[in-house]
Amino acid sequence: MADPNERIHIETNDARAGATPGITRYILAISLVLVIVIFGFLVLR
């Protein structure tokens, strides 16, 4: 029987069970630019 106090080691990729493509930074940058443009349009209108 397994010892409940024993540490379990799982590799990072196995623990995440997926890949991180890095598209999040582009989505955040585009969203930030859009928010600034929309707020600028609303304020200067």
Side-chain angles (χ1 to χ4, degrees), residues 27-42:
I27 293 173
L28 288 173
I30 292 169
S31 299
L32 178 62
V33 169
L34 286 174
V35 166
I36 291 171
V37 168
I38 291 170
F39 280 154
F41 175 75
L42 291 175

Side-chain angles (χ1 to χ4, degrees), residues 13-30:
N13 287 337
D14 293 335
R16 282 189 278 182
T20 52
I23 193 168
T24 306
R25 72 184 80 165
Y26 298 116
I27 293 173
L28 288 173
I30 292 169

